[in-house]
Amino acid sequence: GANYNVLWDKSDNALEFIDNAKASFGTGNDLEIVHNSSENHFNVSANTFFKGNIFWGVRNSSNQGVIEALTTSRTVDLYGGSTKVLSTASTGVTIRQGFNIQNSEFNMTTNGTKILDFETGGTNSVNFRHNPSDSSLSTFMKAIHGGAVELYHDADGSKKFETTSSGVDVTGSLSVANH
């Protein structure tokens, strides 16, 4: 608009945009950069990439890292407060300070095949399941909040061991060795 001025300030050697003035790029305004008195907006209508030869990141006003990417090793670090909480590497992901899962199921896969699965099913129990060679999920342990822990035999899925309020129940034979 007519009230949104842009000027070249020789004394600062800077192109200055007054609040709400837009810097537009691309034929169809594919990228707009706008600052009002309290926020900065990057309005994009196409893919957006941040490129750097060594490093790029997002930092807060105290210069603390929020997101840091080292482009030479293609690794990323995420921070919660001033603590690095997640890091990627060629060998996988490192999570620090705890790991919270919402919405009842967590899966670990290898080559697209589910190998370990934790699910709550919306109940007060957690089932630990894995994918044996026959490709069907098999429960090997169930933990019930405020109650039992159950262990299952992988071959037939039968419960073999269960904790109870008075001790344990064992189904089948029990071997005890003295070492």
Side-chain angles (χ1 to χ4, degrees):
N3 296 327
Y4 303 129
N5 295 315
V6 176
L7 66 99
W8 177 259
D9 185 342
K10 283 185 179 181
S11 65
D12 286 340
N13 197 27
L15 182 60
E16 296 178 353
F17 291 75
I18 305 302
D19 285 352
N20 299 309
K22 288 191 271 186
S24 297
F25 302 88
T27 304
N29 295 329
D30 300 327
L31 169 63
E32 292 181 342
I33 302 173
V34 182
H35 169 77
N36 61 34
S37 60
S38 61
E39 298 176 329
N40 300 305
H41 295 263
F42 294 86
N43 303 320
V44 297
S45 61
N47 292 333
T48 304
F49 299 94
F50 297 93
K51 294 182 180 181
N53 291 334
I54 306 291
F55 172 86
W56 71 264
V58 176
R59 294 181 176 264
N60 65 16
S61 61
S62 300
N63 203 31
Q64 295 172 318
V66 176
I67 300 171
E68 296 179 347
L70 183 61
T71 58
T72 54
S73 61
R74 298 177 72 179
T75 60
V76 175
D77 294 324
L78 301 178
Y79 290 80
S82 60
T83 304
K84 187 186 304 184
V85 294
L86 186 138
S87 300
T88 66
S90 62
T91 56
V93 176
T94 300
I95 298 171
R96 299 167 191 84
Q97 306 298 322
F99 181 60
N100 298 306
I101 300 172
Q102 297 178 357
N103 298 329
S104 81
E105 190 167 340
F106 172 72
N107 300 300
M108 285 193 260
T109 61
T110 184
N111 297 325
T113 303
K114 190 185 294 189
I115 57 168
L116 189 58
D117 172 269
F118 307 95
E119 64 93 22
T120 63
T123 66
N124 283 332
S125 64
V126 177
N127 296 315
F128 296 83
R129 306 180 299 187
H130 74 105
N131 191 355
S133 58
D134 66 0
S135 298
S136 63
L137 286 174
S138 172
T139 297
F140 63 90
M141 184 171 72
K142 181 177 185 178
I144 302 165
H145 177 70
V149 172
E150 303 170 353
L151 302 178
Y152 295 81
H153 190 271
D154 188 41
D156 62 7
S158 63
K159 186 181 349 176
K160 297 297 183 180
F161 183 91
E162 176 181 10
T163 62
T164 67
S165 60
S166 60
V168 297
D169 288 339
V170 176
T171 302
S173 61
L174 175 66
S175 298
V176 179
N178 186 5
H179 293 280

